[in-house]
């Protein structure tokens, strides 16, 4: 998170002309520093609050120091049953991300590899689907999900509604568009000669996809996987409306239930918030490059 | 084999539609084995069915249902067609509609006039090669990895009436989330906080792609940094400007999570998305009426999605 790796601009050999003089630089750094700290502040405040006891802050106010404790975390974990909800998030996020990447890469491969006239229509259908407001599709989807039966071993509601399957499908359908868009652009940039060589060797279309194209797309796939994990983990709306049983909510949507329980205790609210944020923060700090690359690869995503 | 027609030698001149066996296309298709053709079909068909079935058909169904008085009970065959009556009711007999439109527009204005330009401004500053740029960037887009629902919680610690930081510092007693006169502003501040980081990141990526020789040429001509940006860099970035515009519009139309975790979009926080949701999953299941609301959202967003698609596809062909 420091300046390491960033090119040190040496005065005189600057890459760009008209480098401002020193005082301007100082003002710039001051400004950016204040903004950056201001931006981090709400998150740091949540962490700070989560580490203090309710009694202490109730007595001395939140603008004080002291009362350090980790109890809020254990209490929040137990009351809100975070273990269970994290597991629900895993059940939904992992299959949804894998399925999204697989299906999207199939479509993207066909779009990039063959030039049918319908390609542009296909690309438009997928990309636009990702940008539609989800609430505008809620009514028919809600009805549909309550009508589609599932066997009991798949869903104890015996419906697509209130099942992990339903949420996985709806997340895949919505996220496919973004991945198709990014991957097809990426695949179009691969050299044609690869496929010529593959065809000379008699490789089938499937082999050209699976053994030639996919390995070359690893960087894009890694970037998209990182991004999709955070998006689907953060997904709130579909889980809220297409799930009924509180026990089956993924962690982001279970937040809504927690609110009532924690309402009077901000220290618990903050501990809960930090717990929910941890997986995305870990991913972000470990795979920051991938995350940013993913977002800017498409430079889209509404 | 270099002129093998299957390979995209020239994307600008796409071959005629598939399945016809006349002309060049037929020869090309015969190059593919039957298995290959089945594989290609499946590779497109399975994802397509999913997206059409779960996104596009529901979108069409929403528009159709908006012309009916269906209450969700009874067979589809008995649905009565009522024309534009639902729209009339939405606009004239539904008190939350006015505030919701107002709040959606306010949301758009706040992001468009304040958050988006600020994000762009920060991107321009960070585009200069400065020490610690990575730290500043990270701090700014950290909120982007948090869900909007979570952001509602994080900001509650600041906005809460009795335990919040803001009242403690200002010595006030305002219920920032609960008071219907101020809560939309409190929420907009939190939403803008996240939006700035997102726009900064998108715009920074765009700026990095601008040909440096353009700036050099402008500098040689004696143009100042500011006028270089507005006269040279900004116009060149037209595609990314449009993307940023569309992202801002769509985000303000899709806004939902934040108000839903606070009070389900009531008491000052009405939004179109929240109204649709409470008309369907709430106590009253008014399908036709809710669909009219949803159709309004759909139509507005499709205008901007089309603009977006034209922009990215044109870029794509270059």
């Amino acid at each position: 998170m420091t300046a390491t790796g960033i090119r040190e601009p040496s005065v005189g050999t600057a890459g760009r002309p008209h480098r401002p003089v020193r005082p301007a630089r100082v003002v710039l750094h001051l400004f950016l520093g204040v903004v950056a700290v201001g931006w981090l502040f709400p998150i740091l405040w949540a962490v700070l609050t989560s580490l203090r006891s309710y009694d202490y802050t109730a007595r001395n106010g939140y603008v004080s120091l002291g009362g350090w404790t980790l109890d809020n975390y254990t209490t929040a974990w137990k009351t809100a049953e975070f273990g269970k909800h994290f597991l629900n998030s895993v059940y939904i996020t992992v299959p949804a991300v894998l399925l999204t990447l697989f299906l999207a890469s199939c479509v993207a491969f066909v779009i990039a590899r063959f030039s049918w006239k319908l390609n542009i229509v296909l690309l438009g259908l997928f990309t636009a689907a990702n940008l539609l407001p989800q609430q505008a599709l809620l009514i028919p989807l809600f009805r549909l999900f309550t009508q589609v039966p599932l066997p009991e071993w798949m869903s104890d509601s015996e419906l697509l509604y209130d099942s992990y399957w339903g949420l996985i499908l709806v997340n895949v359908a919505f996220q496919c568009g973004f991945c198709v868009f990014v991957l097809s652009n990426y695949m179009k940039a691969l050299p044609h000669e690869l496929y010529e060589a593959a065809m000379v060797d008699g490789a089938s279309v499937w082999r050209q996809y699976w053994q030639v194209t996919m390995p070359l797309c690893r960087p894009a796939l890694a970037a998209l996987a990182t991004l999709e994990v955070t998006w689907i983990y953060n997904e709130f709306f579909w889980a809220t409306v297409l799930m009924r049983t509180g026990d089956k909510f993924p962690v982001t949507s279970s937040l809504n239930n927690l609110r009532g329980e924690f309402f009077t205790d901000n220290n618990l609210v903050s501990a809960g918030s930090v717990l929910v944020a941890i997986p995305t923060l870990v991913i972000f700090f470990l795979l920051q490059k991938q995350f940013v690359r993913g977002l800017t690869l498409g430079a889209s995503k509404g | 084999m270099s002129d093998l027609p299957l390979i995209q030698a020239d994307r600008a001149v796409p071959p005629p539609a598939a399945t016809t066996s006349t002309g060049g296309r037929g020869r090309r298709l015969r190059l593919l084995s039957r298995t290959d053709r089945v594989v290609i079909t499946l590779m497109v068909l399975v994802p397509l069915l999913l997206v059409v079935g779960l996104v596009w058909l529901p979108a069409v169904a929403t528009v159709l249902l908006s012309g009916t008085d269906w209450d969700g009970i009874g067979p589809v065959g008995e649905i009565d067609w009522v024309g534009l009556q639902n729209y009339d009711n939405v606009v004239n007999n539904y008190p939350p509609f006015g505030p919701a439109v107002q709040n959606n527009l306010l949301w758009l204005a706040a992001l468009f006039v304040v958050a988006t330009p600020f994000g762009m401004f920060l991107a321009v500053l960070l585009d200069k090669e400065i020490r610690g740029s990575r730290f500043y960037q990270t701090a700014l887009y950290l909120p982007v990895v948090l869900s909007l629902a979570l952001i509602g919680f994080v900001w509650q610690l600041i906005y809460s009436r009795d335990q919040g930081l803001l009242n403690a510092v200002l010595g006030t007693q305002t219920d920032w989330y609960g008071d219907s006169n101020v809560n939309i502003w409190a929420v907009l501040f939190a939403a803008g906080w996240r939006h700035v980081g997102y726009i900064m990141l998108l715009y920074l990526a765009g700026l990095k792609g601008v040909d440096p020789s353009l700036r050099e040429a402008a500098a040689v001509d004696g143009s100042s940094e500011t006028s270089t940006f507005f006269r040279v860099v900004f116009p060149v970035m037209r595609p990314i400007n449009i993307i940023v515009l569309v992202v801002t519009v769509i985000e303000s139309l899709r806004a939902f999570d934040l108000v839903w975790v606070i009070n389900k979009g009531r008491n000052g926080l009405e939004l179109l998305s929240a109204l649709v949701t409470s008309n369907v999953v709430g106590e009253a299941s008014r399908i036709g009426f809710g669909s009219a609301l949803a159709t309004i959202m759909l139509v507005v967003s499709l205008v901007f999605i089309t603009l977006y698609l034209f922009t990215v596809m044109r870029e794509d062909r270059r």
Side-chain angles (χ1 to χ4, degrees), chain A residues 221-234:
Chain A
L221 289 169
L224 284 175
T226 311
L227 210 56
E228 291 297 338
V229 167
T230 52
W231 281 341
I232 296 177
Y233 174 87
N234 281 341

Side-chain angles (χ1 to χ4, degrees), chain B residues 180-204:
Chain B
S180 57
N181 294 317
V182 295
N183 55 6
I184 187 73
W185 300 104
V187 170
L188 280 175
F189 197 85
W193 173 66
R194 186 176 189 267
H195 189 74
V196 166
Y198 183 29
I199 294 298
M200 186 277 296
L201 194 63
L202 285 186
Y203 213 65
L204 192 58

Side-chain angles (χ1 to χ4, degrees), chain A residues 112 116 143 185 264 300-301, chain B residues 8 25 72 163 198 308 316:
Chain A
W116 310 147
R143 306 301 305 184
N185 277 343
T264 48
S300 60
K301 176 60 195 177
Chain B
Q8 294 179 350
R25 164 61 59 193
Q163 305 171 38
Y198 183 29
Y308 173 86
D316 198 37

Side-chain angles (χ1 to χ4, degrees), chain A residues 241-290:
Chain A
V241 294
L242 296 180
M243 279 280 190
R244 183 182 44 206
T245 314
D247 277 359
K248 287 196 276 190
F249 275 118
V251 75
T252 303
S253 296
S254 73
L255 273 172
N256 213 15
N257 296 356
L258 310 183
R259 189 158 192 267
E261 294 169 38
F262 289 178
F263 198 57
T264 48
D265 190 340
N266 262 0
N267 304 61
L268 271 186
V269 168
S270 50
S273 303
V274 173
L275 284 172
V276 176
I278 282 175
T280 50
L281 290 179
V282 167
I283 287 177
F284 178 66
F285 283 113
L286 288 182
L287 302 168
Q288 197 180 346
K289 235 185 224 156
Q290 255 75 342

Side-chain angles (χ1 to χ4, degrees), chain B residues 5 9-10 27-28 59 71 101 108 139 142 164 171 191 197 241 244 247 261 290 309:
Chain B
D10 186 3
R27 242 179 298 127
R28 283 162 219 173
D71 55 4
V101 171
L108 174 64
L142 195 56
N241 289 332
V244 164
V247 163
V261 292
L309 286 181

Side-chain angles (χ1 to χ4, degrees), chain B residues 155-235:
Chain B
W155 281 82
Q156 187 188 328
L157 307 173
I158 292 168
Y159 288 144
S160 149
R161 190 184 64 194
D162 300 321
Q163 305 171 38
L165 179 66
L166 202 55
N167 281 344
V169 172
L170 297 176
T172 48
Q173 278 293 307
T174 313
D175 186 356
W176 297 96
Y177 270 173
D179 185 337
S180 57
N181 294 317
V182 295
N183 55 6
I184 187 73
W185 300 104
V187 170
L188 280 175
F189 197 85
W193 173 66
R194 186 176 189 267
H195 189 74
V196 166
Y198 183 29
I199 294 298
M200 186 277 296
L201 194 63
L202 285 186
Y203 213 65
L204 192 58
L207 282 168
K208 297 254 182 255
V210 173
D211 184 356
S213 63
L214 278 176
R215 295 185 211 236
E216 276 158 33
V220 169
D221 290 346
S223 167
S224 75
E225 234 178 304
T226 321
S227 73
T228 304
F229 178 76
F230 283 109
R231 298 224 180 130
V232 180
V233 179
F234 192 78

Side-chain angles (χ1 to χ4, degrees), chain A residues 25 29 39 62 112 115-116 125 132 136 139 143 185 188 192 205 234 264 266 288 292 299-302, chain B residues 8 15 25 36 56 62 72 130-131 136 138 141-142 145 163 193 198 201 243 251 254 262 280 301 308 316:
Chain A
R25 283 271 128 155
H29 274 283
W39 242 249
Y62 278 86
S115 39
W116 310 147
L125 269 183
L132 287 179
I139 294 164
R143 306 301 305 184
N185 277 343
K188 276 175 196 161
H192 308 155
V205 166
N234 281 341
T264 48
N266 262 0
Q288 197 180 346
V292 174
S300 60
K301 176 60 195 177
Chain B
Q8 294 179 350
R25 164 61 59 193
D36 279 347
W56 291 110
T62 297
I130 49 171
R131 230 182 256 233
Y136 298 133
T138 307
Y141 61 69
L142 195 56
V145 301
Q163 305 171 38
W193 173 66
Y198 183 29
L201 194 63
I243 289 172
E251 290 275 292
R254 298 213 289 198
I262 293 168
V280 184
S301 61
Y308 173 86
D316 198 37

Side-chain angles (χ1 to χ4, degrees), chain A residues 42-52 68 73 270 274 281, chain B residues 157:
Chain A
I43 299 169
L44 296 177
W45 182 253
V47 175
L48 193 72
T49 309
S50 70
L51 293 171
R52 306 173 68 194
W68 305 111
Y73 283 94
S270 50
V274 173
L281 290 179
Chain B
L157 307 173

